[in-house]
Amino acid sequence: MKGIFTALITPFHGDGKINEKGLRQVVRHNIDKMGVHGLYVGGSTGENFLLSKETKKEIFSIVKEEVGTQVKLIAQIGSLNIEEAIELGKYATDLGYDALSSVTPYYYKFSFNEIKNYYLQLIEATGNKMIIYSIPVLTGVNFSLGEFDQILNLPNVIGVKFTDSDFVKLERLKRLYPEKTFLFGFDEIMLAGCVFNADGAIGSTYNVMGDKAVAIYNLVQEEKIKEAMEIQSNMNQVIEVMIQHGVYQSIKEILKLKGIDGGHMKFPFSELSGEGKEEVKKIMELI
Ligand code: NAY
């Protein structure tokens, strides 16, 4: 579990149903054109937290069918409802997903022990490998080093999707747990994450700039940081526009301009504005 993983977008039809043809095209684009090492399915980027259990299963199934064993697959199954999370975890495991990932339980201010017990139940029930999805900025759950120590020592926990800019914590964690996998979650500073010893990255913008992320990842292995910074800086010109107009919306528009059916957004997300479309068109030459 190393390298660049695309946090897969989900193309929807206008009525909110899965656009299967589009989803298959996006998967193919990621594997055949972007050359990423794996896909992270059911993350924030996939608009997962807006979906029913059945729709989540449908996505896991279509993606696995399209991918086969071509690249690594991680299924994000986290849900506040533990029964749903377990059911999704078993489903993805039976489909052959290489690992599961679960966001730290959010909304309620759960204690650390409650969060730990949540992971324990998930791991025991599914028997698959688990990558902890830590994204303090959205969940408010920010593990200390001591808490990470307890979480990383749970059975089957193989690593962390580290969506945080605390580089000191990242460096300390990798030093303490060299055998665990740390996948960095902020695309605009992924180079820094890799320099601070992350094993790779998971990101939404890799749906359209995965080739660049792979190049940065490879350059860091070769210790060519200046060249890697050049690419990161180019990526950031695009990401800046994306953040301004909606990251997921912009990715879908870029895919569309490349002839891939990125589909619609899931309500209550709105579609890309007219101004956003104009701005995205202007940065296409950088992609
Ligand atoms: C997910 O679960 O899909 C992710 O966390 C992917 C990581 C992305 N963060 C979010 C919240 O979607 O790729 C990043 C992010 O879009 C990027 O850094 C631009 O800010």
Side-chain angles (χ1 to χ4, degrees):
M1 287 289 174
K2 279 178 187 293
I4 301 302
F5 287 72
T6 297
L8 202 65
I9 61 134
T10 310
F12 294 97
H13 288 299
D15 62 3
K17 299 229 164 61
I18 300 293
N19 175 346
E20 178 173 344
K21 192 163 148 263
L23 180 57
R24 288 182 188 274
Q25 284 180 8
V26 173
V27 169
R28 287 262 56 87
H29 174 72
N30 269 288
I31 299 176
D32 303 337
K33 296 282 187 334
M34 297 293 96
V36 295
H37 306 107
L39 303 177
Y40 189 81
V41 188
S44 325
T45 310
E47 300 167 67
N48 172 77
F49 301 105
L50 306 176
L51 307 181
S52 71
K53 185 176 68 184
E54 292 318 315
T55 305
K56 292 176 189 177
K57 284 184 176 177
E58 197 184 338
I59 295 169
F60 287 147
S61 165
I62 294 167
V63 173
K64 177 62 187 171
E65 196 180 275
E66 191 60 45
V67 171
T69 53
Q70 282 190 287
V71 295
K72 296 276 184 209
L73 284 177
I74 304 171
Q76 197 295 123
I77 49 127
S79 163
L80 285 184
N81 180 274
I82 187 75
E83 287 82 16
E84 172 172 315
I86 288 173
E87 191 176 324
L88 290 170
K90 286 181 174 168
Y91 186 78
T93 301
D94 289 346
L95 284 173
Y97 273 69
D98 299 284
L100 304 177
S101 180
S102 175
V103 70
T104 50
Y106 51 92
Y107 188 77
Y108 298 106
K109 300 280 176 221
F110 295 109
S111 69
F112 175 71
N113 272 337
E114 286 167 336
I115 295 174
K116 195 169 106 179
N117 287 333
Y118 167 88
Y119 281 111
L120 258 180
Q121 275 213 19
L122 261 185
I123 292 161
E124 274 168 18
T126 59
N128 202 343
K129 300 186 200 83
M130 172 62 67
I131 295 174
I132 308 296
Y133 180 1
S134 172
I135 180 161
V137 69
L138 290 185
T139 59
V141 179
N142 196 355
F143 292 145
S144 64
L145 274 180
E147 288 169 341
F148 263 122
D149 178 68
Q150 290 189 50
I151 288 283
L152 284 162
N153 277 308
L154 295 179
N156 287 15
V157 171
I158 59 164
V160 178
K161 169 172 163 11
F162 190 90
T163 307
D164 193 0
S165 54
D166 188 339
F167 291 108
V168 180
K169 200 181 268 179
L170 174 63
E171 186 277 330
R172 290 290 83 196
L173 284 169
K174 187 63 192 172
R175 175 88 170 206
L176 288 166
Y177 307 97
E179 76 290 355
K180 304 282 184 187
T181 300
F182 295 91
L183 296 165
F184 196 72
F186 280 131
D187 311 6
E188 46 279 65
I189 45 175
M190 71 147 292
L191 165 59
C194 291
V195 170
F196 268 71
N197 276 346
D199 298 283
I202 299 174
S204 20
T205 66
Y206 310 152
N207 281 282
V208 290
M209 295 193 288
D211 51 346
K212 294 177 175 50
V214 169
I216 291 177
Y217 174 77
N218 290 336
L219 286 166
V220 172
Q221 311 300 309
E222 297 163 27
E223 298 181 8
K224 294 182 177 162
I225 305 304
K226 218 172 158 197
E227 290 92 326
M229 188 58 209
E230 186 75 25
I231 303 174
Q232 177 78 76
S233 184
N234 278 337
M235 281 176 78
N236 288 359
Q237 272 185 262
V238 176
I239 295 174
E240 193 176 20
V241 172
M242 287 178 165
I243 290 173
Q244 203 178 337
H245 296 282
V247 174
Y248 313 144
Q249 287 90 337
S250 303
I251 291 170
K252 289 183 180 190
E253 179 70 10
I254 292 166
L255 286 166
K256 192 172 139 202
L257 293 172
K258 284 178 174 286
I260 297 146
D261 189 358
H264 292 271
M265 298 296 295
K266 179 81 171 70
F267 186 82
F269 274 126
S270 52
E271 304 291 338
L272 189 65
S273 65
E275 189 198 345
K277 284 184 187 170
E278 287 304 312
E279 292 302 313
V280 163
K281 216 180 277 170
K282 285 187 204 156
I283 48 157
M284 283 305 283
E285 66 194 33
L286 294 168
I287 299 165

